[in-house]
Amino acid sequence: MIAQATNFAQSVDNTFLIIVGISVFFLVLITTLLITFVIKYSKKRNPKATNIPGNTKLEIIWTVIPTLIVLYIFWLGWTDYKVLATPPKDSMVITATASMWRWKFTYPNGKQADTLYVPVNKDIKIKLISTDVNHSFYVPAFRIKKDALPNINNSTWFNAEKLGTYTLFCAEYCGLNHATMRSEVKVVTKDKFNNWLSSK
């Protein structure tokens, strides 16, 4: 994985690792308890069935703790979502038009390209348009994925913090050649970007 390719990549990764950590902890705990109870209360060790009385305190604990954990996971996701859903007002707006089976990027000055060129350390808002079916703008290194839908205005944003070339996919099955609908995001210096943008 490419850490810190964008401004919120690390935050998304941290949320993911916390959720995986909680899941692994409970997987180990429940599996351990399951095996322990299977052995302890097997027919061989307990030939005569016994009635185990309820425990109100224990039932409250195993209801409250999972509820708090789920609320914590929701809070983590909501915190990330608010950042991902709110592009800064001074963002450069680039329109990404998706169609079977290609991407087209249109810049504020009208220039078009099939590769997404962006300057490093600049807030970029991507307006998503689909001319036909459902598509999805997905850049794994940036930790962003947003659907491009016919007749629906959708957008996403990022601030690329590392120079380089990153793969851009369509992550929504869109027909026969869906697998070939890919492009690149080229993060370049501001001078290189300005020269590219102003060139014919």
Side-chain angles (χ1 to χ4, degrees):
M1 293 194 300
I2 303 172
Q4 286 300 95
T6 59
N7 52 314
F8 40 67
Q10 194 63 57
S11 175
V12 171
D13 286 353
N14 289 343
T15 298
F16 176 77
L17 290 173
I18 289 170
I19 293 172
V20 169
I22 292 171
S23 301
V24 169
F25 170 77
F26 279 103
L27 172 65
V28 173
L29 175 65
I30 293 170
T31 302
T32 301
L33 290 174
L34 179 66
I35 293 171
T36 300
F37 291 153
V38 165
I39 294 171
K40 184 175 181 180
Y41 297 107
S42 66
K43 186 175 181 179
K44 183 178 179 181
R45 292 175 182 266
N46 296 273
K48 186 177 180 181
T50 54
N51 185 32
I52 300 174
N55 187 318
T56 303
K57 184 178 179 180
L58 184 61
E59 291 187 16
I60 291 172
I61 289 172
W62 70 37
T63 299
V64 170
I65 290 177
T67 301
L68 293 176
I69 291 171
V70 168
L71 289 173
Y72 173 63
I73 291 172
F74 172 81
W75 177 80
L76 287 174
W78 177 250
T79 302
D80 285 341
Y81 175 77
K82 284 196 300 183
V83 175
L84 292 167
T86 313
K89 292 182 179 180
D90 61 346
S91 299
M92 176 188 294
V93 179
I94 301 172
T95 300
T97 304
S99 56
M100 295 187 289
W101 289 276
R102 64 188 295 268
W103 292 98
K104 181 177 71 176
F105 304 100
T106 306
Y107 291 80
N109 67 351
K111 182 163 183 173
Q112 294 184 339
D114 56 8
T115 298
L116 180 58
Y117 288 87
V118 296
V120 69
N121 295 320
K122 173 68 178 172
D123 297 328
I124 306 293
K125 178 180 177 180
I126 304 293
K127 289 178 63 178
L128 296 165
I129 296 173
S130 172
T131 62
D132 39 48
V133 298
N134 293 0
H135 299 280
S136 188
F137 180 91
Y138 177 43
V139 186
F142 292 0
R143 313 301 191 265
I144 56 172
K145 178 180 178 292
K146 196 78 171 186
D147 288 347
L149 306 168
N151 304 315
I152 294 178
N153 295 324
N154 229 355
S155 65
T156 186
W157 79 280
F158 61 86
N159 184 315
E161 297 180 342
K162 290 181 68 176
L163 298 172
T165 300
Y166 306 93
T167 305
L168 187 163
F169 298 94
C170 173
E172 186 82 29
Y173 181 71
C174 56
L176 182 63
N177 293 322
H178 162 70
T180 66
M181 188 173 170
R182 53 195 301 170
S183 183
E184 291 180 330
V185 182
K186 292 187 179 291
V187 182
V188 298
T189 62
K190 292 181 181 179
D191 288 340
K192 285 185 178 180
F193 175 78
N194 289 334
N195 290 337
W196 174 85
L197 189 62
S198 60
S199 65
K200 292 184 179 181

